[in-house]
Amino acid sequence: MTPPPNPNPRNRLKAAAANLGLLAATVLLLLGIFEGTLRLSGFSYVLYPQDIEFGMPNPVVLKAGFQEDDDLFWVTQDYDAKLERLRRQRPTWVLLGDSCTDLGGYDEALAERAAGRGKALRYGNLGVAGWSSFQGRRQLERDVPPLGPEVVTIYFGWNDHWIGFGIDDANVARVKRVFSSRWSRLRLVQLATKTRVAWDARGSGLPNRVALPDFEANLRAMVAQARSLDAVPVLLTAPSNHEPGEEPAALGERWLRDVSELVPLHRAYVDAVRRVAVDTGAPLCDLARRFDALDKPRRNSLFMTDGIHPNADGDRFVASALDACFERDGLWTRLLGSTELQPPERPSTVP
């Protein structure tokens, strides 16, 4: 029997290509249906805060204007424009920190004190709400070198000891490397991200976003990085208005394993800042100690009701403390660029 003739190889290739095209179209259609279903169901999962709360237990909620960043997790919407402006202005003072810096006013209050010395203070506030020292360290390595500051203040210690997403910030960074921000608006990618976070969090027992030894390591690295830029790193402790037995219950609902651990936990992170200052010789502006030295009514008058964020009067108190620290450590000359400084119109000591 004579075998049937072989089909034309070109026809076979066309048939295979058609089958692959049909398969690809089917897969895309199914993915599209799945994506649409997730959106219609209201599913969303992003690795950045979508609002910021102040003044708990009666919060003022600010809708956060963030965009994702593969290295820093999230940045403010105007972050890139701010960096470009600061590259042109060459600030002598760069502020790093969380919402106490980002949304605080102690930078403006200190600039007013500089004006009392007859000079304009060039500064750049690079604090971002919700950030930990893990993000601050990456920011200092990536974004601060082109700015050429003389002094860098480092003010972290709240978000590091919150429980965050159920995994620590180092693991969040590993997730971000897999699921790029370029695709993060897709609900399918968000679902995959949530699945990966849940997998990494299994058995973790809700760790702090940055464990205490890692917090110290981040601060040491930031001190070293600032010095490599010929800038003076100034470490700030994070003041608190919390007392044992009087902790805001709302903090225990989202940020802590148990609200009773709030005060000792925060004190441990404050003490870590002090240790790093001693070990590295970096200047320390111990805001926590200065606030703690006040009587209770006076201290209450300087904080929002969440006990975390200084209010407008508190920001002025922070500025007065920084003024005194900069005076003590001889940093005003570096900040204002002249040895011919007028005496301050207001005393630099803390009121």
Side-chain angles (χ1 to χ4, degrees), residues 145-218:
L147 308 183
E150 294 288 335
V151 174
V152 176
T153 51
I154 301 167
Y155 182 178
F156 292 97
W158 281 111
N159 297 303
D160 293 80
H161 61 60
W162 298 149
I163 58 177
F165 294 101
I167 58 175
D168 60 24
D169 279 16
N171 267 314
V172 173
R174 283 189 278 273
V175 172
K176 293 289 290 181
R177 283 198 296 269
V178 176
F179 302 105
S180 169
S181 297
R182 186 179 299 109
W183 307 106
S184 63
R185 292 184 181 276
L186 293 174
R187 297 304 190 273
L188 287 169
V189 172
Q190 293 178 14
L191 179 61
T193 302
K194 185 173 184 178
T195 302
R196 173 63 184 270
V197 167
W199 176 259
D200 288 348
R202 67 196 190 285
S204 65
L206 296 177
N208 297 342
R209 283 182 56 186
V210 179
L212 189 58
D214 295 333
F215 178 63
E216 287 196 37
N218 288 337

Side-chain angles (χ1 to χ4, degrees), residues 219-235:
L219 295 181
R220 293 176 194 278
M222 294 173 81
V223 167
Q225 174 66 12
R227 286 173 170 164
S228 75
L229 304 176
D230 295 323
V232 178
V234 180
L235 295 169

Side-chain angles (χ1 to χ4, degrees), residues 42-207:
F43 175 81
S44 177
Y45 185 79
V46 292
L47 291 173
Y48 61 86
Q50 295 176 291
D51 54 59
I52 302 294
E53 294 182 3
F54 288 92
M56 292 174 287
N58 299 307
V60 174
V61 180
L62 302 178
K63 284 298 179 184
F66 292 126
Q67 61 185 4
E68 288 200 68
D69 184 290
D70 285 337
D71 297 319
L72 306 175
F73 306 171
W74 65 86
V75 295
T76 54
Q77 292 285 354
D78 65 344
Y79 187 77
D80 292 337
K82 181 188 293 186
L83 285 179
E84 179 59 32
R85 173 174 55 81
L86 292 176
R87 280 191 285 267
R88 295 193 305 269
Q89 293 177 349
R90 306 291 289 182
T92 58
W93 174 34
V94 166
L95 301 73
L96 307 184
D98 52 32
S99 57
C100 294
T101 296
D102 178 11
L103 303 176
Y106 68 86
D107 50 351
E108 297 174 357
L110 191 64
E112 292 177 3
R113 287 177 169 260
R117 296 172 179 267
K119 295 285 183 176
L121 177 60
R122 302 196 315 275
Y123 62 92
N125 187 333
L126 291 182
V128 178
W131 270 19
S132 71
S133 64
F134 182 91
Q135 292 155 292
R137 175 179 177 177
R138 289 183 161 200
Q139 178 190 47
L140 181 52
E141 294 168 349
R142 190 189 79 175
D143 296 336
V144 175
L147 308 183
E150 294 288 335
V151 174
V152 176
T153 51
I154 301 167
Y155 182 178
F156 292 97
W158 281 111
N159 297 303
D160 293 80
H161 61 60
W162 298 149
I163 58 177
F165 294 101
I167 58 175
D168 60 24
D169 279 16
N171 267 314
V172 173
R174 283 189 278 273
V175 172
K176 293 289 290 181
R177 283 198 296 269
V178 176
F179 302 105
S180 169
S181 297
R182 186 179 299 109
W183 307 106
S184 63
R185 292 184 181 276
L186 293 174
R187 297 304 190 273
L188 287 169
V189 172
Q190 293 178 14
L191 179 61
T193 302
K194 185 173 184 178
T195 302
R196 173 63 184 270
V197 167
W199 176 259
D200 288 348
R202 67 196 190 285
S204 65
L206 296 177

Side-chain angles (χ1 to χ4, degrees), residues 130-348:
W131 270 19
S132 71
S133 64
F134 182 91
Q135 292 155 292
R137 175 179 177 177
R138 289 183 161 200
Q139 178 190 47
L140 181 52
E141 294 168 349
R142 190 189 79 175
D143 296 336
V144 175
L147 308 183
E150 294 288 335
V151 174
V152 176
T153 51
I154 301 167
Y155 182 178
F156 292 97
W158 281 111
N159 297 303
D160 293 80
H161 61 60
W162 298 149
I163 58 177
F165 294 101
I167 58 175
D168 60 24
D169 279 16
N171 267 314
V172 173
R174 283 189 278 273
V175 172
K176 293 289 290 181
R177 283 198 296 269
V178 176
F179 302 105
S180 169
S181 297
R182 186 179 299 109
W183 307 106
S184 63
R185 292 184 181 276
L186 293 174
R187 297 304 190 273
L188 287 169
V189 172
Q190 293 178 14
L191 179 61
T193 302
K194 185 173 184 178
T195 302
R196 173 63 184 270
V197 167
W199 176 259
D200 288 348
R202 67 196 190 285
S204 65
L206 296 177
N208 297 342
R209 283 182 56 186
V210 179
L212 189 58
D214 295 333
F215 178 63
E216 287 196 37
N218 288 337
L219 295 181
R220 293 176 194 278
M222 294 173 81
V223 167
Q225 174 66 12
R227 286 173 170 164
S228 75
L229 304 176
D230 295 323
V232 178
V234 180
L235 295 169
L236 279 58
T237 54
S240 165
N241 195 32
H242 299 139
E243 295 186 10
E246 300 179 10
E247 305 90 348
L251 292 177
E253 295 171 3
R254 295 177 57 189
W255 308 116
L256 295 160
R257 289 164 290 268
D258 189 305
V259 74
S260 66
E261 69 179 7
L262 172 61
V263 173
L265 187 61
H266 186 68
R267 285 176 180 169
Y269 279 70
V270 166
D271 286 340
V273 179
R274 295 169 179 151
R275 280 195 301 274
V276 172
V278 170
D279 292 346
T280 63
L284 172 69
C285 198
D286 200 339
L287 301 179
R289 182 160 289 146
R290 292 175 183 267
F291 276 82
D292 287 346
L294 303 173
D295 60 45
K296 188 172 182 179
R298 171 65 171 148
R299 193 171 64 250
N300 287 345
S301 73
L302 299 178
F303 277 94
M304 296 184 181
T305 53
D306 60 11
I308 295 172
H309 299 90
N311 58 25
D313 288 338
D315 283 332
R316 285 188 285 271
F317 186 87
V318 170
S320 69
L322 281 173
D323 189 344
C325 292
F326 289 169
E327 181 76 23
R328 176 199 66 199
D329 296 312
L331 297 178
W332 274 119
T333 298
R334 293 194 65 157
L335 285 165
L336 302 182
S338 172
T339 57
E340 301 176 359
L341 301 178
Q342 300 177 13
E345 294 180 358
R346 290 175 289 181
S348 61

